Amino acid sequence: MNNCTNLTLCVCGVDSLIPRAAQYACTLLGYTLQKNGASPDFIARIKQLEAHLSLGRKLFRLGNSADALEAAKRAIHLSDMVLRFCITVSHLNRAMYFACDNILWAGKSGLVPHMDQEKWSQRSFRYYLFALIMNLSRDAYEIRLLMEREANGKCQKGGGNNSSAPREDSKVQQLALRLKLQLRLLAHVLRNNPPLLLDVMKNACDIFIPLDRLGLYKTNPGFVGLCGLTSSILSILTIVHPWLKLKP
């Protein structure tokens, strides 16, 4: 029975992410074709398909605000104070993002004809950005904990790298050596923790989407499409292989 339930959740999760991947694939394709001088009619069809996929995704997300609020209620009970704050605030911002997105869907579908769609779009992306900032803050905290644990473990085993590392008189060389050791430790931690690595990559890709839409860091539709497509594929991987999903 549990296997059937897990399979159903997996299929539903993948089905909800496929339209997202397709939408951003259309964004990337339309930008690439426009750069290569494709016919305006064909590019217009790609953009129309992208708009339909975006509107369909908004319809599928009508109940996601309630799910995000439930996730926030569960996160309140986490024992780690930093994780509790980051995850709870992230879910609350996601709930507001989905609520604004639902209102935007009502305007685009004609249910609320005189809505200021640009204003609600900006609001939704603002909440989306705050949620991603919290997600990346949580990732940074998890990385710091793992790096400290790894460094302490090496020190307990036999003095770490201090005995073998040359002592440089120059402060710049000492700083460069310390930075090199920290980067090596970071790479080791991420390599040994695939769920954390995937979460960092996914959030890092996603954050460029609201930054571009809010005008805080303008890129181009091709880069936004590539980031959205990459994060969608990574999200599908975490659903197909649940052990790749960062917990809690």
Side-chain angles (χ1 to χ4, degrees):
M1 186 68 181
N2 289 334
N3 291 335
C4 292
T5 303
N6 293 336
L7 179 62
T8 302
L9 291 173
C10 177
V11 172
C12 291
V14 172
D15 284 347
S16 66
L17 286 168
I18 287 176
R20 185 180 192 268
Q23 176 191 341
Y24 285 111
C26 287
T27 304
L28 178 59
L29 179 62
Y31 178 80
T32 305
L33 291 174
Q34 188 174 13
K35 282 291 184 180
N36 292 330
S39 65
D41 183 60
F42 185 64
I43 294 174
R45 291 182 182 180
I46 295 293
K47 290 184 177 180
Q48 186 177 18
L49 176 59
E50 178 190 347
H52 288 321
L53 287 168
S54 176
L55 189 61
R57 286 182 58 221
K58 294 183 189 309
L59 176 62
F60 292 143
R61 293 200 296 250
L62 286 179
N64 285 12
S65 288
D67 294 338
L69 288 175
E70 285 297 320
K73 287 168 62 177
R74 292 194 299 269
I76 291 176
H77 302 290
L78 292 173
S79 57
D80 190 296
M81 184 178 64
V82 177
L83 289 180
R84 181 168 67 242
F85 174 78
C86 290
I87 297 175
T88 302
V89 174
S90 173
H91 285 310
L92 290 175
N93 276 283
R94 286 179 66 248
M96 294 301 298
Y97 161 67
F98 289 131
C100 292
D101 204 53
N102 295 341
I103 296 172
L104 190 59
W105 171 81
K108 289 190 174 184
S109 61
L111 296 178
V112 185
H114 302 296
M115 177 189 299
D116 188 348
Q117 295 185 17
E118 181 62 25
K119 180 182 73 174
W120 284 102
S121 177
Q122 292 288 303
R123 284 180 178 175
S124 68
F125 279 114
R126 200 173 294 121
Y127 286 119
Y128 185 33
L129 177 61
F130 290 156
L132 290 171
I133 291 173
M134 287 295 102
N135 290 345
L136 286 170
S137 300
R138 177 258 180 100
D139 291 336
Y141 176 70
E142 297 258 22
I143 289 172
R144 187 179 71 86
L145 289 181
L146 291 172
M147 288 178 67
E148 288 180 353
R149 189 180 306 165
E150 187 72 22
N152 291 335
K154 288 184 177 181
C155 288
Q156 291 175 1
K157 285 181 180 179
N161 292 322
N162 290 332
S163 59
S164 60
R167 293 184 177 273
E168 300 288 347
D169 294 331
S170 170
K171 291 183 178 180
V172 176
Q173 290 177 333
Q174 289 181 6
L175 182 61
L177 178 61
R178 188 177 303 172
L179 179 59
K180 181 180 178 180
L181 292 174
Q182 288 295 314
L183 290 175
R184 188 180 300 171
L185 182 60
L186 174 62
H188 175 76
V189 164
L190 291 177
R191 186 170 60 248
N192 290 339
N193 294 272
L196 181 56
L197 175 60
L198 259 66
D199 199 67
V200 171
M201 293 173 61
K202 182 171 67 68
N203 290 323
C205 288
D206 278 335
I207 201 167
F208 287 103
I209 299 172
L211 286 176
D212 181 81
R213 300 295 172 84
L214 293 171
L216 299 175
Y217 184 79
K218 295 296 291 183
T219 54
N220 58 66
F223 184 75
V224 171
L226 179 61
C227 289
L229 179 59
T230 302
S231 67
S232 299
I233 293 173
L234 294 175
S235 297
I236 291 173
L237 280 176
T238 61
I239 293 175
V240 175
H241 303 287
W243 69 273
L244 289 173
K245 185 175 179 61
L246 185 63
K247 297 179 180 63

